Amino acid sequence: MSQNKKIFFILTGLTLVALFAANLIYGAVSIPVDAVFGILFGGDTSGNAAWQHIVIQSRLPQSVTAMLAGASLAISGLLLQTLFKNPLAGPSILGISDGANLGVALVMMFFGNSFNLFSLYSLGGSLAMIVAAFIGACLILGIIIYFSTKVTNPVMLLIIGIMVGYLASSVISILNYYSTADRVQAFVMWGMGNFASVSNDRLPFFVSFSLAGLLLSALLIKPLNALLLGEAYAANLGVKVLRARVIILMYTGLLTATVTAYCGPVAFIGLAVPHIARLMLGTSNHTLLFPATVLTGACVALVCNLLTVIPGTDSVLPLNAVTPLVGAPVIIYVIINRKNIHYFN
């Protein structure tokens, strides 16, 4: 590893720590820095129970969620961009996010705010949406994996994924048309994304699924590097291309479904972050690009979470109102300079 790349990883790691601390300190409610660290490390909190509740029950899980969600979406984008050799491929391109949206739409606009699962468990509120989103994403993922065994051309598979996403969006539009105004509004608000929706009691599940997806994806570094040179070359190196494609789709689906189920459909992070990591490193070698994408994705998500807080007010912007501010300029730069940037070599 060159000296410049070592410096990049050190600076990115330090930036991640600084942004994580900033997310704990900065928020709609002003809390002194010494009080925040006192609450976190068991010091004197001056008896302010409200501050302690905000830091421990809100900001800490929100910061952990943002960090893992950003890393998960970024890796999902990296996997898909390498698989399809398309710099504009992202986690939502295969309709997995649309499947999660459809699951939530069914719960919120058709079944109401609760539903019975196999007539044994009654699920209400946000837990019902999490389960429905995960089931919807997994169903769409199953369809895509099935077609991946029938279609050998990655471009055709990409088109099928887009069409499946359109079908899911069509069903959502029909549900919107027949639903009440308050339910439609609730669904629209959910669709704007939110890192604050993961409470402490649900955080262990979110962390477990996210880390499992990230660790499993790390095992694909060698096949991903082989696929950069083309499927025929990868096959000559001993990579079982069809099997690798299915596994990539499965791990992408796990990461995307987890984030979408818990945080809503977060836009642009999965699409833009892999490009930021490539531009900073100047390489497509996944041995370096994979950890760089994880760190960059976590940093970008934490930045977006900070930007949702309007200074001087107690108002918080929707997450997807902020993510395009970071992601859109990157994508525009990629489109304009695509011929001069060697992504897949």
Side-chain angles (χ1 to χ4, degrees):
M1 187 188 300
S2 67
Q3 190 68 22
N4 289 338
K5 291 181 174 60
K6 289 180 180 179
I7 293 174
F8 166 80
F9 280 106
I10 292 172
L11 291 178
T12 307
L14 293 175
T15 301
L16 177 61
V17 173
L19 286 171
F20 188 85
N23 274 265
L24 295 175
I25 296 168
Y26 180 68
V29 177
S30 179
I31 302 176
V33 176
D34 56 342
V36 172
F37 286 104
I39 292 169
L40 290 173
F41 298 108
D44 183 16
T45 62
S46 303
N48 196 320
W51 287 357
Q52 187 169 2
H53 178 83
I54 291 171
V55 173
I56 299 299
Q57 300 297 327
S58 178
R59 292 185 186 178
L60 181 60
Q62 186 174 355
S63 300
V64 174
T65 299
M67 184 171 61
L68 287 176
S72 298
L73 291 174
I75 289 300
S76 297
L78 177 64
L79 295 179
L80 292 177
Q81 287 168 15
T82 301
L83 176 63
F84 295 112
K85 283 197 169 185
N86 188 333
L88 297 181
S92 61
I93 199 72
L94 291 178
I96 299 172
S97 295
D98 292 312
N101 293 349
L102 178 58
V104 172
L106 286 171
V107 170
M108 297 182 69
M109 294 186 287
F110 187 75
F111 290 108
N113 290 328
S114 63
F115 68 97
N116 289 325
L117 185 64
F118 303 125
S119 300
L120 294 176
Y121 300 99
S122 180
L123 302 174
S126 59
L127 180 57
M129 293 192 294
I130 291 171
V131 173
F134 200 86
I135 292 174
C138 290
L139 286 175
I140 297 297
L141 175 63
I143 294 172
I144 299 301
I145 291 176
Y146 169 78
F147 281 114
S148 72
T149 63
K150 304 294 182 181
V151 179
T152 58
N153 190 327
V155 176
M156 294 298 103
L157 181 61
L158 192 65
I159 294 173
I160 290 174
I162 294 172
M163 293 303 104
V164 171
Y166 277 131
L167 289 173
S169 297
S170 178
V171 176
I172 293 173
S173 297
I174 294 172
L175 290 173
N176 277 328
Y177 181 79
Y178 286 104
S179 185
T180 59
D182 56 338
R183 291 183 180 180
V184 172
Q185 182 181 12
F187 177 73
V188 170
M189 293 302 298
W190 176 85
M192 291 183 178
N194 185 9
F195 289 141
S197 59
V198 182
S199 57
N200 276 331
D201 58 335
R202 291 177 188 151
L203 188 61
F205 298 98
F206 178 76
V207 171
S208 299
F209 281 113
S210 298
L211 289 180
L214 290 172
L215 292 174
L216 289 171
S217 299
L219 300 176
L220 297 172
I221 288 176
K222 288 185 177 180
L224 288 169
N225 280 335
L227 287 172
L228 288 175
L229 303 173
E231 292 188 353
Y233 189 86
N236 290 333
L237 292 177
V239 176
K240 296 180 180 179
V241 176
L242 180 59
R243 179 174 177 270
R245 183 192 298 173
V246 172
I247 292 175
I248 289 172
L249 291 173
M250 287 179 60
Y251 294 169
T252 300
L254 172 62
L255 292 169
T256 305
T258 300
V259 175
T260 307
Y262 281 87
C263 306
V266 181
F268 276 103
I269 291 180
L271 181 60
V273 169
H275 297 300
I276 298 174
R278 287 191 191 95
L279 291 170
M280 296 297 292
L281 283 178
T283 181
S284 289
N285 182 357
H286 287 77
T287 305
L288 298 175
L289 188 58
F290 189 96
T293 303
V294 170
L295 290 173
T296 307
C299 289
V300 169
L302 288 170
V303 168
C304 291
N305 194 50
L306 284 173
L307 293 176
T308 60
V309 180
I310 302 176
T313 69
D314 57 356
S315 301
V316 178
L317 292 171
L319 182 61
N320 283 336
V322 171
T323 52
L325 298 176
V326 177
V330 174
I331 302 306
I332 293 171
Y333 179 85
V334 168
I335 293 172
I336 294 175
N337 296 277
R338 184 176 178 182
K339 293 182 179 180
N340 300 322
I341 302 174
H342 302 287
Y343 283 108
F344 308 108
N345 54 29

